Amino acid sequence: MKIGGNRVLTSWKSESDPSPGIFSIGLEPQDDNPQLVIWTNGSNSRLWRSGPWNNIVFIGIAEMTYAQSFSLSEDNMYMSFKDTAKMYILFVFDQHGAFLGKQWDSDVHNWHEFWSSQSNTCDTYGRCGPFGSCNPSNSQICSCLTGFRPKFEEEWSKGNWSAGCVRNTQLVCRNSSFDKSDTDDGFITLENMKVPDHAIVSLLFATDIEECSMICLMNCSCLAYSYDSGIGCMTWGENLVDMQKFTQRGIDFYIRLARSEIDPARTNNKPHGLSKNVKLVIVIAVLVATLAISICMYFLWKWLTKQR
């Protein structure tokens, strides 16, 4: 299935009318980790997204497993599906904007739907607005993240969640990761999450979650972070939109809060600051770099002096 770049699939207008409909699906480039996106009425309005590709799966599709053998070419931006079980598999983009996976049932001689991009109401893009999280298992599917409250309480209580949530307490940031006091920012952990849209993959090399925490903590504009071994360190610097709580799979997601909003019992002993060892490494690295630059500048000055 070739989609991405300038290629998109457009839905039919109806089941019996093959003229172009209002929905389209394509691969949206996002650094080296593109995601599948379904748009409606043009590219500015999203209906659904898959989450970033980690070279094995799209991490925002809970049902997608490693055994399904999807592959994605960076050169041509196309996605292929390899069926290792020798079954007939069909992917359909229907007139309602749903991306469907179907499998041939030889017993009843018909196609059986095994997956849909719209399997539950939380799959609709941005269902709970900025800083809201969707959980299809709850009677009220939308809730504000810890440390946030509904932007418009009355509308929220009526089931209109589009305006999302706002912070209870503003962040405190001193642009420094050293000597953090009890009044500074920290992080809490949300487990098994579909991470928000607009992830920024850090250009700084991070080999684990603690180094990713360091990168976010040192940047006052960083609101949240997450780490996936196939992607690296992801950070967010704007409204957190399109989050969903999964019952299985998903990844851990860390949101930045003022220290007064953090309940120690909810940190799950996951990193929410910098360890002494990491701080020591940073200090040593800075000192070594400063010394190296000073030595280079000294020899450059000596060389320029001799040229006069």
Side-chain angles (χ1 to χ4, degrees):
M1 180 172 63
K2 293 187 177 181
I3 52 179
N6 294 323
R7 296 190 187 96
V8 296
L9 295 179
T10 301
S11 66
W12 285 16
K13 195 169 185 178
S14 70
E15 191 172 4
S16 59
D17 184 354
S19 60
I22 63 172
F23 302 103
S24 58
I25 183 172
L27 279 169
E28 180 182 70
Q30 187 169 282
D31 298 319
D32 293 326
N33 305 97
Q35 61 179 354
L36 274 171
V37 177
I38 295 175
W39 297 275
T40 179
N41 294 322
S43 61
N44 292 326
S45 181
R46 298 174 185 242
L47 178 64
W48 172 85
R49 68 182 183 93
S50 66
W53 174 256
N54 72 354
N55 297 310
I56 300 176
V57 298
F58 290 105
I59 63 174
I61 301 179
E63 301 85 355
M64 194 172 187
T65 65
Y66 297 92
Q68 287 175 311
S69 302
F70 274 82
S71 62
L72 193 65
S73 167
E74 294 182 1
D75 297 329
N76 297 314
M77 288 290 288
Y78 74 89
M79 185 179 71
S80 63
F81 175 85
K82 182 180 180 182
D83 176 27
T84 57
K86 306 299 181 184
M87 296 182 293
Y88 292 106
I89 299 293
L90 174 69
F91 282 94
V92 177
F93 186 47
D94 73 11
Q95 71 274 17
H96 304 295
F99 190 38
L100 309 173
K102 297 186 177 184
Q103 177 181 319
W104 179 254
D105 189 333
S106 58
D107 293 332
V108 297
H109 299 284
N110 204 349
W111 291 101
H112 166 70
E113 182 181 308
F114 66 86
W115 176 78
S116 170
S117 63
Q118 297 294 319
S119 60
N120 65 72
T121 187
C122 287
D123 287 328
T124 300
Y125 184 86
R127 170 67 72 182
C128 300
F131 302 105
S133 177
C134 196
N135 187 341
S137 299
N138 292 342
S139 56
Q140 179 172 302
I141 60 173
C142 287
S143 61
C144 291
L145 300 178
T146 300
F148 292 77
R149 66 182 186 278
K151 186 173 184 179
F152 301 117
E153 293 279 0
E154 185 176 351
E155 291 298 313
W156 188 273
S157 65
K158 294 178 181 178
N160 181 1
W161 305 299
S162 58
C165 308
V166 293
R167 286 188 183 276
N168 293 328
T169 306
Q170 292 304 307
L171 297 174
V172 177
C173 186
R174 299 186 299 183
N175 281 305
S176 173
S177 62
F178 304 106
D179 300 323
K180 305 297 286 183
S181 73
D182 291 338
T183 62
D184 289 324
D185 304 334
F187 296 93
I188 65 165
T189 311
L190 303 179
E191 298 178 329
N192 303 114
M193 295 296 293
K194 176 181 181 179
V195 297
D197 202 2
H198 309 301
I200 300 171
V201 179
S202 176
L203 297 178
L204 299 176
F205 186 66
T207 59
D208 56 33
I209 188 64
E210 186 161 307
E211 291 180 4
C212 189
S213 171
M214 172 190 70
I215 290 170
C216 187
L217 197 60
M218 293 176 67
N219 181 1
C220 283
S221 64
C222 181
L223 303 180
Y225 71 93
S226 188
Y227 183 85
D228 181 275
S229 59
I231 298 174
C233 180
M234 296 173 283
T235 62
W236 286 263
E238 55 184 272
N239 287 347
L240 307 181
V241 179
D242 196 37
M243 287 174 283
Q244 185 178 160
K245 172 70 172 178
F246 292 148
T247 55
Q248 58 180 350
R249 299 190 178 89
I251 62 176
D252 289 348
F253 178 66
Y254 303 83
I255 59 171
R256 188 178 202 143
L257 295 177
R259 186 70 61 176
S260 61
E261 294 286 345
I262 296 177
D263 177 1
R266 296 199 55 170
T267 60
N268 297 322
N269 296 318
K270 298 292 179 69
H272 54 275
L274 297 181
S275 68
K276 292 181 179 179
N277 289 338
V278 173
K279 292 180 181 180
L280 180 61
V281 169
I282 296 174
V283 171
I284 293 174
V286 171
L287 291 176
V288 170
T290 302
L291 179 61
I293 293 172
S294 299
I295 293 173
C296 290
M297 292 299 294
Y298 171 76
F299 282 107
L300 178 61
W301 174 76
K302 293 284 288 184
W303 181 80
L304 290 174
T305 301
K306 291 181 179 179
Q307 300 303 310
R308 293 176 181 175

